[in-house]
Amino acid sequence: MAAPPPSPRRVSTEDEPLKALLLPFENGALAWPQGRVLFLRGRDGWPLRRIDLSGLRCVQGSRPLAEALQRAGVEVVPELDDDEQPASLVLVLPPRQREEARALLARAVDLAAPGARVVAAVSNDEGARSREKDLQQLAGMDGHLTKFHCRVFWTPPLQGPADAALAAQWRGGDAVRPLLGGRFHSRPGVFAWDRIDAASALLAAKLPADLRGRGADLGAGWGYLAAEVLERAPGVGALDLYEAEFRALELARRNLEGARITPGFHWHDVTAGLPRDGYDFIVSNPPFHAHDRGDRPELGQRFIEVAAQALRPGGRLLLVANRHLPYEGTLAQAFGERRVLAEAGGFKVIEALKGASR
């Protein structure tokens, strides 16, 4: 089932780390190189539009952020290629999670061609000083600036890492590893990477055994809920997983190898919509944070709207959410019947039925 094309989104003007990252090139502290530029965890925004994008290659595993870069005409891939070529400049927006961030900085240093620099930026409340210290340990430090409540910092021209042993240690810090005795596999950086999150566990415990037909998991993460659906509901004959984070979706593929049916795996931004009237049931533990970590309850609200459109008349949505999130109004508008199946630990599980007229 092909999803509709994503709707255009405006270029961000509020991305403070991106503004900080490009500040040294705007004020003359650093010169923009003529050669190939690699941007790890790259994001689109108005500061990016003020530079020459022709030699830029971005690595971005978030589907909505990757699509924004594609619309800007930038080359983008969801993850680093094994044969990635060195670049004359490596830009990095490190993530919040420490092991993932350190691994990304180590790879950035690896991918800096002889004489190239690594430049990184982090917001102050996301660990800017720690990440600056990390990069200094790996490759030395040549300068930094503070602005926009962020720090941007950069290495001297490089000839490999200053500490090869540390680089080797950090390079594998976000590797895939077994979870729960090997039943699942996960890795640092994806949501709830080292545990079953309490909300998903509550929803799994309340999954009806009579689910059947074609289903979908919206915001599937590394595949826990989908695995529980297939184990608890033998009448399910098809299951599609939709996940915006490429790393998480690749883990879900691995975690569902050998399942009694072969699911569909879709690297997709659910908020852009799904085909209508295609599913008998949908399960979801929707996100409520964006990449900037700010609360975004509208994400969950949009998941509910999309689920209502994608369900067949009479279809069921099984949703888990924080109790404080304002989802009731959206559920009332989108679904004919609703009931709370469970409340525990600050979460609630809701079952909603799509009416025949919707």
Side-chain angles (χ1 to χ4, degrees):
M1 295 164 56
S7 57
R9 291 175 172 81
R10 291 182 295 177
V11 175
S12 171
T13 60
E14 304 299 329
D15 194 330
E16 309 292 357
L18 179 62
K19 289 192 287 186
L21 182 69
L22 297 178
L23 182 63
F25 304 98
E26 294 179 357
N27 68 12
L30 295 175
W32 191 261
Q34 296 296 315
R36 181 172 176 272
V37 176
L38 187 63
F39 190 177
L40 307 185
R41 285 297 188 99
R43 300 196 291 262
D44 188 28
W46 67 262
L48 201 66
R49 304 297 183 92
R50 292 157 58 164
I51 62 175
D52 179 11
L53 302 180
S54 59
L56 185 66
R57 175 177 167 86
C58 290
V59 182
Q60 176 54 258
S62 167
R63 186 65 172 180
L65 297 179
E67 287 174 343
L69 288 163
Q70 289 173 335
R71 287 192 294 271
V74 178
E75 180 188 6
V76 57
V77 294
E79 62 181 355
L80 283 167
D81 294 339
D82 291 337
D83 58 351
E84 197 74 53
Q85 298 300 305
S88 56
L89 171 67
V90 184
L91 303 172
V92 193
L93 290 173
R96 182 186 184 92
Q97 207 282 329
R98 185 181 65 175
E99 286 80 8
E100 184 188 12
R102 285 178 166 178
L104 196 66
L105 290 174
R107 291 171 193 140
V109 171
D110 290 342
L111 290 167
R117 300 177 188 267
V118 172
V119 182
V122 183
S123 65
N124 291 337
D125 58 2
E126 294 279 318
R129 288 187 179 275
S130 294
R131 296 294 81 77
E132 181 179 7
K133 182 179 178 182
D134 288 343
L135 186 58
Q136 183 173 13
Q137 287 181 271
L138 279 175
M141 192 59 55
D142 196 37
H144 72 264
L145 294 169
T146 60
K147 197 168 184 179
F148 311 121
H149 305 288
C150 299
R151 295 178 74 85
V152 54
F153 40 93
W154 56 92
T155 68
L158 294 177
Q159 302 290 331
D163 189 331
L166 186 64
Q169 176 187 338
W170 285 0
R171 199 176 294 125
D174 68 340
V176 176
R177 61 203 68 185
L179 182 65
L180 298 180
R183 180 188 176 197
F184 298 109
H185 286 79
S186 187
R187 65 188 303 189
V190 302
F191 172 70
W193 74 270
D194 58 349
R195 65 193 185 282
I196 306 298
D197 74 282
S200 293
L202 183 62
L203 176 53
K206 296 300 177 180
L207 286 172
D210 64 349
L211 290 176
R212 61 182 60 255
R214 186 180 188 90
D217 182 352
L218 308 188
W222 48 260
Y224 167 72
L225 268 179
E228 291 293 306
V229 166
L230 294 179
E231 286 192 11
R232 294 169 182 260
V236 173
L239 187 64
D240 287 326
L241 281 67
Y242 293 92
E243 172 55 47
E245 290 294 335
F246 188 82
R247 286 159 63 97
L249 188 66
E250 292 302 288
L251 289 166
R253 289 183 193 274
R254 178 168 183 167
N255 288 329
L256 289 165
E257 286 180 359
R260 61 178 181 80
I261 62 172
T262 301
F265 297 93
H266 307 274
W267 184 41
H268 181 69
D269 175 12
V270 168
T271 67
L274 293 174
R276 290 179 175 267
D277 303 327
Y279 293 107
D280 299 296
F281 71 90
I282 287 173
V283 299
S284 185
N285 179 5
F288 59 95
H289 290 107
H291 67 82
D292 59 3
R293 305 291 296 180
D295 282 356
R296 294 278 303 278
E298 66 270 21
L299 289 175
Q301 291 168 332
R302 179 59 180 156
F303 267 55
I304 293 167
E305 295 169 349
V306 170
Q309 294 164 2
L311 283 166
R312 295 175 179 143
R316 287 194 276 183
L317 169 65
L318 292 149
L319 175 85
V320 65
N322 291 61
R323 291 175 60 184
H324 75 274
L325 291 173
Y327 290 167
E328 281 77 6
T330 308
L331 284 162
Q333 290 179 352
F335 288 90
E337 299 179 39
R338 302 161 309 282
R339 62 177 179 139
V340 175
L341 300 182
E343 292 190 63
F347 303 103
K348 57 187 172 184
V349 175
I350 300 169
E351 180 182 48
L353 303 181
K354 181 176 179 178
S357 62
R358 292 182 182 267

